[in-house]
Amino acid sequence: MKTARSMVALVLLALVALVATGCGSDAGSGDGGAEAGATTTAAAAGGRGEALEGEITVSAAASLTEAYTQIGADFETAHPGTTVTFTFDSSGTLSQQILDGAPVDAFASADEANMAKLTDQDLVDGEPQVFARNQLVIVTKPGNPAGIEGLADLPGAGVVALCAASAPCGRFAAQVLEGAGVALDESSVTRGQNAKATLTAVAEGDAAAGIVYVTDARAAGDAVAAVAIPEERNAVATYPIGVLAGSGHLDVARAFAEYVLGDEAQAVLKEHGFLPPS
Amino acid sequence: MAAVAAMGLALFVLPLAGIVQRADWAHLVDHLRTPEALEAIRLTLVASLSATALSLVLGIPLAWVLARSRFRGLALVRGLVLLPMVLPPVVGGVALLSAFSLRSPLGGWLHDTFGVQLTFNPAGVVLAETFVAMPFLVITVEAALRNLDPRYEEVAAGLGASRFTVFRRVTLPLVGPSVLAGAVLAWARAMGEFGATITFAGNIAGRTRTLPLAVYLQLETDQDAAIALSLVLLGISLAVLVALRGRWLERS
């Protein structure tokens, strides 16, 4: 009996720990790699001709997952001695993490508003540069069994997946719906934490439709069907990248931001469905 | 020894103190009186208590089988039962989707035959929470059953009691405190469940948006409201865990 009780007490203690940390670790799952950036020391000199060296952490909008993973690998190949670690999540989550002191070297946002939160606090080195644009699209189950032809068909179609109102894709979706005069009852809307989670609700879950970025729908391949939103009704998301002034590897972070604007990276972005910066 | 213990305690106390200090106490009640907050609190309590009840009904027999049976593959069965404790909850949610979504054979059959859809439904929240929380009950009750002196049951059986009567009248009362402890552990874990719930049941206001989901959404828009909701979660959990511990001390 004694041992049983002490064992139970042990499990209980472990649980208190779980309860205390549970919310935080689930919710903040994006910043796991955030500490990595500060651990290596910078190259002795950042002068021209010197090889770049060091590890940077880049926080990037979830919609950039595929394109940036490839661009990061290309950058590492172009600059041996550098390592780029990514944290992908909603731009709203990422900007909040950076405001809360997450050690990040560069931030690529899916909108200008979340970048502005950082420039307002003088956290950004120089001016953020727009490197891509994106548009929204309706996604449905493969084959579009519900016969959704446009925004007007969304009410009554079943559960619709939208991004959280604080995520850029959530704000853009609200704009697009309002512009089309379509009102969705919140009791039939499931909110994804970011663009990828919203897509997953349609691709894996039971949501009848969702509004995500064109690039996400393309990345999902056959898992969803895409229904275009007319150009004049669509929103355009502009993606700026900014180097954070507190970076321990300003030279590498600046080089990465520059690289994203270069021809090679632009070709990768185009391949994934992004529009050019202007 | 005491110094290390203090460090261990600090690891738990510091983050809690941080959140208490960050809270907007003056407007705490206002943050909790919004329809969204009340809805989330109500749903969280109903779903976590239902998940606890379901865990008791399914978990006690399971713990009994694990503690008393001898068969090949028992270790594997125990591993399967405890797996949700180490599985990332989001993966648990995806696993539940693959079993119970409308496109899965079982989920499709449930829908076509009974009109039941678990996804985007409070029942789905209960299922996700039970999946994640029940192992805490099973492991606690199994440990108690293993430590039970078998002579009480043998005597009862010798006096002519059926196996079910022995279980109900002798075994269960003896492991009662552990059942209670396991139920509270499972309940507390269910209250805080996030990953499996948002993945499987979705995040619909008033239907599947429990407190942890509401906290996550609010963190980016209204931190004060998010912290107020977190405090409710912490307050309820701490109160119950403290009360339970007090009960144990009185008994031993």
Side-chain angles (χ1 to χ4, degrees), chain A residues 153-259:
Chain A
D153 294 334
L154 291 180
V159 172
V160 176
L162 300 179
C163 295
S166 60
C169 50
R171 265 208 330 280
F172 291 131
Q175 271 174 33
V176 165
L177 286 167
E178 200 186 315
V182 174
L184 285 176
D185 189 351
E186 198 62 28
S187 68
S188 66
V189 173
T190 185
R191 297 274 177 184
Q193 310 98 296
N194 55 48
K196 291 295 176 198
T198 306
L199 180 78
T200 304
V202 182
E204 305 283 336
D206 284 335
I211 298 181
V212 295
Y213 291 117
V214 170
T215 52
D216 294 318
R218 187 189 282 220
D222 295 339
V224 293
V227 179
I229 298 171
E231 191 73 34
E232 67 275 12
R233 291 258 164 84
N234 215 325
V236 177
T238 49
Y239 286 60
I241 184 166
V243 171
L244 292 161
S247 164
H249 302 279
L250 269 178
D251 51 347
V252 183
R254 283 176 186 152
F256 181 79
E258 239 167 73
Y259 184 84

Side-chain angles (χ1 to χ4, degrees), chain A residues 80-157:
Chain A
T82 63
T83 309
V84 185
T85 308
F86 291 109
T87 300
F88 295 110
D89 207 326
S90 140
S91 303
T93 303
L94 296 171
S95 65
Q96 188 60 51
Q97 284 172 359
I98 294 169
L99 286 173
D100 285 341
V104 173
D105 301 286
F107 172 47
S109 173
D111 67 354
E112 315 232 35
N114 279 295
M115 186 63 82
K117 287 184 195 166
L118 305 189
T119 49
D120 286 352
Q121 302 288 320
D122 292 326
L123 292 174
V124 178
D125 167 69
E127 282 290 308
Q129 301 289 320
V130 173
F131 63 91
R133 291 176 305 148
N134 208 348
Q135 290 199 294
L136 298 181
V137 69
I138 301 170
V139 287
T140 70
K141 298 280 179 224
N144 194 359
I148 292 162
E149 285 171 9
L151 294 166
D153 294 334
L154 291 180

